[in-house]
Amino acid sequence: MKPPKNRRVFVVGYGVASPLGKTFKQTWERAVKGEAGFRKVTRCQVESLCDVVGEIPDWDPKEFAFSNEKEVYNWNAAFVILTMVICKEALEDSGLQINGETGPRTACLIGSSINGTDSFRIAMENMTVNGPLKVSPYLLPNLCSNLPSGKAGMLLGFTGPVFSPQGACASGNYAVAVGSRMIRDGDCDFVLAGGVDMPIMPEIIHGFANMNATVKIVPHDRASEDPSQASRPFSVDRKGFVLSEGGGVIVLAADEAISHYGLKAKAEVMGIGWSSDAYHFTRPNKDTIIRALRETIEDAGLKPHDVEYVNAHGTSTVRGDSTEIDCLRAVFGDMLKDIPISSNKSQIGHTLGAAAAIENALTIEGMRQGVILPTINHIPDPLFDGLDFVSNEARRRRYEIALSNAFGFGGTNCCVIFRGV
Amino acid sequence: MTREEIVTQVLCFFREEFEIENPGLDDNLREKHGFDSIDAIEMLLKIEKMLASELSHEEKKRAMDIRTINHICDYIESLAVARAASSE
């Protein structure tokens, strides 16, 4: 194998669809205003106390120039079209032209938690109701986790490696991490890295509800009259996450490619830390999370006091949030009280494999604009006394070094540090 | 098994398995400690080991009302009494 090139890696563009909007611009504008994107579920019918979700507003996969009714019928795993849309947006935002020179040097790594589960659901129903001949011949491709990246390549023309880093709810950060290493080593010059998930369907809603992982909106809960208050990370009354759909892609580029192709860097990927728990399939493990955090800072060549903002995993579960804070306290000690921490999941909910990628785009834009996005719906928990959660309103503040946390089922942890440019 | 022994074992299990130190016996486990249904399934497996016998479907259904450590201890106590009576 050829020796690695040890190149620096930058972010040059992003595309996002989230419950706050079907583009990055819409998502950002509402995020800055402190809005939330939650409502009673409309994608399907469920009888559940966990029926407040985050849905991409006005999402219609048929509305795009490359799409039509037949395309959507065949590609009925919703993550396929969504990936194509956000990859296109990210590429346009970056200014990168895919041609005979850049195409072979461009990879696409889009992670997911539940992949094309919705496609299997439709096939099951067709088979049960109409018989085996009605199972779509497109079923198997729809289920392939790399298929969305492959379809994005067919749409946009890149021919570098396409695959799906699968790290459950940390998938987005794994995509950024693996993609950055690929660029650093010289395997490619550009990577579309991100995550996507479209989980709003009855079995997934009930599955999370029966785990007690998602928030149950009982009478007198503050979200019963106002669904926007359902997700409340780090709050004293947090009771579980809000299940959401969405996708995020950031375009990574090698330093020399940026100048060569006249692109503009938005941030640098400074460091990566990853670990697994060997502990429990849902319960987090402090020791290995702390290790991932420390390795991220070390990989970036920084010290804990250099970190100026933490974009928390912050799902709004009782145990998950307190474990994350315990780990941050272990790494940052008393300095933690001076580091703003916020959770975009208070506004977007938990988009599973897409979460970290969406949050990365928001964090980087925050560094560019001098804005720290808030943790909305925040009512302080005495357990976290003295910490700064950027409660309820976005804050004007310049910062250059941001840490992004992501943890997933199966005991998988991936953190990334970005430097604003 | 005395009530005190049951409480000791349950608290030990919470400390070792769930990393929940010194929970109040009447704390709402879900709301205060994030105790979820996967934890509940693991708790039932622990109770089966404590009692050295499998729980019936009906007994497992009864566990769905459990909210606190005291409820867990009441539950174990009643199961132990029922098993002792049936073995006499």
Side-chain angles (χ1 to χ4, degrees):
Chain A
M1 284 190 280
K2 285 188 279 189
K5 290 187 172 178
N6 292 325
R7 298 188 296 183
R8 292 168 70 183
V9 181
F10 291 85
V11 176
V12 293
Y14 22 76
V16 161
S18 81
L20 289 177
K22 58 185 173 181
T23 63
F24 177 77
K25 185 170 181 286
Q26 290 171 8
T27 297
W28 171 257
E29 285 172 359
R30 291 188 62 198
V32 172
K33 287 180 194 164
E35 295 179 18
F38 310 133
R39 64 188 183 198
K40 290 264 189 185
V41 60
T42 66
R43 295 260 181 273
C44 59
Q45 288 192 322
V46 288
E47 291 286 327
S48 172
L49 290 172
C50 302
D51 61 353
V52 170
V53 297
E55 299 175 334
I56 301 168
D58 307 318
W59 172 248
D60 176 7
K62 296 191 287 291
E63 76 170 347
F64 304 99
F66 63 84
S67 184
N68 56 42
E69 198 140 343
K70 192 175 172 206
E71 180 86 348
V72 172
Y73 179 80
N74 287 334
W75 299 108
N76 56 17
F79 78 151
V80 176
I81 304 285
L82 178 60
T83 298
M84 297 165 78
V85 170
I86 54 177
C87 282
K88 187 168 184 289
E89 185 194 4
L91 208 54
E92 286 169 359
D93 182 54
S94 74
L96 173 64
Q97 301 292 317
I98 299 293
N99 54 37
E101 191 174 65
T102 58
R105 300 291 300 160
T106 301
C108 186
L109 317 183
I110 308 298
S112 178
S113 278
I114 63 160
N115 298 295
T117 309
D118 45 344
S119 183
F120 188 80
R121 187 173 190 277
I122 293 166
M124 272 286 286
E125 191 172 335
N126 283 341
M127 189 165 115
T128 310
V129 176
N130 301 314
L133 289 176
K134 293 298 178 187
V135 173
S136 168
Y138 283 71
L139 171 63
L140 275 301
N142 267 296
L143 293 175
C144 290
S145 60
N146 63 302
L147 198 283
S149 299
K151 283 284 286 177
M154 290 167 219
L155 174 69
L156 302 167
F158 50 78
T159 56
V162 296
F163 61 92
S164 176
Q166 300 275 308
C169 301
S171 294
N173 266 1
Y174 274 105
V176 172
V178 174
S180 297
R181 295 290 201 237
M182 286 166 65
I183 290 174
R184 181 195 65 174
D185 289 358
D187 295 301
C188 47
D189 295 329
F190 305 100
V191 176
L192 281 77
V196 61
D197 260 313
M198 294 294 274
I200 309 296
M201 59 192 106
E203 293 81 359
I204 304 295
I205 291 172
H206 287 300
F208 277 123
N210 293 344
M211 285 177 78
N212 290 331
T214 40
V215 60
K216 290 182 168 60
I217 311 294
V218 295
H220 309 301
D221 185 282
R222 60 177 161 132
S224 62
E225 296 295 318
D226 176 9
S228 72
Q229 296 196 42
S231 180
R232 44 237 192 191
F234 306 114
S235 285
V236 69
D237 62 347
R238 65 191 184 279
K239 294 199 300 191
F241 66 81
V242 172
L243 182 66
S244 291
E245 61 188 20
V249 171
I250 66 177
V251 184
L252 305 171
D255 51 357
E256 67 212 35
I258 290 175
S259 49
H260 185 76
Y261 294 103
L263 307 176
K264 190 168 168 19
K266 296 174 191 275
E268 179 174 7
V269 181
M270 291 285 284
I272 291 151
W274 35 22
S275 65
S276 63
D277 292 348
Y279 178 66
H280 191 273
F281 59 101
T282 55
R283 250 174 258 147
N285 182 40
K286 289 177 193 167
D287 291 346
T288 43
I289 292 173
I290 291 167
R291 201 181 85 212
L293 289 164
R294 288 190 170 134
E295 286 179 1
T296 312
I297 296 167
E298 188 192 345
D299 191 47
L302 300 172
K303 299 288 181 200
H305 66 255
D306 294 316
V307 174
E308 294 174 281
Y309 165 63
V310 176
N311 186 281
H313 187 60
T315 58
S316 186
T317 60
V318 174
R319 194 185 298 161
D321 288 4
S322 62
T323 300
E324 184 172 11
I325 293 302
D326 286 346
C327 295
L328 290 170
R329 279 180 166 141
V331 171
F332 293 99
D334 285 345
M335 284 179 288
L336 189 63
K337 65 182 189 329
D338 300 319
I339 303 174
I341 302 165
S342 66
S343 170
N344 304 138
K345 291 184 183 76
S346 62
Q347 300 180 276
I348 289 170
H350 196 348
T351 54
L352 309 180
I358 295 171
E359 292 160 11
N360 287 341
L362 291 170
T363 297
I364 294 165
E365 188 66 14
M367 285 194 282
R368 298 183 71 217
Q369 304 280 343
V371 170
I372 301 181
L373 291 177
T375 304
I376 65 164
N377 301 321
H378 185 240
I379 297 175
D381 182 338
L383 274 180
F384 310 140
D385 259 357
L387 300 183
D388 174 8
F389 291 107
V390 195
S391 296
N392 303 318
E393 283 182 17
R395 183 181 303 165
R396 278 253 157 239
R397 178 152 159 184
R398 290 273 159 207
Y399 58 108
E400 275 192 4
I401 303 290
L403 167 68
S404 158
N405 288 345
F407 316 119
F409 281 175
T412 187
N413 316 302
C414 188
C415 307
V416 179
I417 285 182
F418 296 97
R419 181 179 67 86
V421 176
Chain B
M1 210 164 11
T2 65
R3 175 80 179 194
E4 201 173 316
E5 286 167 341
I6 293 171
V7 171
T8 303
Q9 282 202 47
V10 170
L11 289 177
C12 175
F13 186 64
F14 268 72
R15 187 171 56 248
E16 288 177 359
E17 295 298 319
F18 304 138
E19 294 182 2
I20 298 173
E21 295 282 348
N22 303 318
L25 297 185
D26 290 314
D27 285 355
N28 184 311
L29 292 170
R30 168 159 162 67
E31 288 182 7
K32 191 152 185 197
H33 301 290
F35 192 81
D36 61 29
S37 51
I38 289 172
D39 298 334
I41 291 166
E42 290 175 7
M43 188 72 225
L44 291 179
L45 289 171
K46 173 69 180 173
I47 291 170
E48 286 185 332
K49 275 190 186 165
M50 280 171 73
L51 299 171
S53 81
E54 281 193 18
L55 300 178
S56 68
H57 183 64
E58 282 306 309
E59 286 170 335
K60 285 177 183 165
K61 266 175 74 178
R62 269 176 50 211
M64 292 183 76
D65 297 329
I66 288 173
R67 295 287 177 273
T68 67
I69 300 267
N70 266 334
H71 290 165
I72 294 172
C73 296
D74 293 344
Y75 178 69
I76 295 170
E77 227 173 1
S78 70
L79 293 171
V81 167
R83 274 157 181 69
S86 67
S87 67
E88 280 171 6

